[in-house]
Amino acid sequence: MNKQELKGKWTQLRGRAKEKWGKLTENELDQIEGSVDRLVGKIQEIYGKTKKEVQEEVDTWLSEQEDEK
C-alpha cells in the first residue's frame, strides 16, 4: 500500500492503527489524516523509537493491510 492509498483508506484503517499502536489517541489519529510521515512521527514521539525502527514497523503494517484486502 502506498502513501496515496493510505490517505484514501485512512477512515477504514485508523481502527486497525489504534489496535496496533494503542497509545495513539483519537485526536492524534484525526491529526494524522492518513499521512505516513505523520503516523511515523507520532509513533516515534509516543513510543520513543528511532525513525528507522518505526518506518520499518509501519511499512510492515501497511503490507499486512494490503494482504487483508
Side-chain angles (χ1 to χ4, degrees):
M1 179 176 301
N2 64 35
K3 291 181 180 186
Q4 261 327 92
E5 288 177 313
L6 176 62
K7 197 160 193 78
K9 296 180 180 183
W10 182 242
T11 303
Q12 295 95 330
L13 294 176
R14 64 182 280 148
R16 293 181 191 170
K18 178 73 173 163
E19 288 175 10
K20 173 83 174 159
W21 299 286
K23 292 182 182 179
L24 289 172
T25 66
E26 291 299 320
N27 190 40
E28 290 164 337
L29 291 167
D30 288 342
Q31 292 171 357
I32 290 167
E33 297 179 318
S35 166
V36 173
D37 294 333
R38 287 186 200 150
L39 178 60
V40 168
K42 191 52 73 174
I43 294 168
Q44 184 181 0
E45 177 185 322
I46 292 171
Y47 288 91
K49 297 180 178 183
T50 67
K51 184 173 184 174
K52 183 179 181 201
E53 288 175 313
V54 175
Q55 188 64 60
E56 289 173 0
E57 194 173 317
V58 169
D59 288 345
T60 299
W61 180 75
L62 288 173
S63 293
E64 291 168 355
Q65 303 318 301
E66 265 189 3
D67 294 343
E68 290 187 21
K69 284 183 180 177

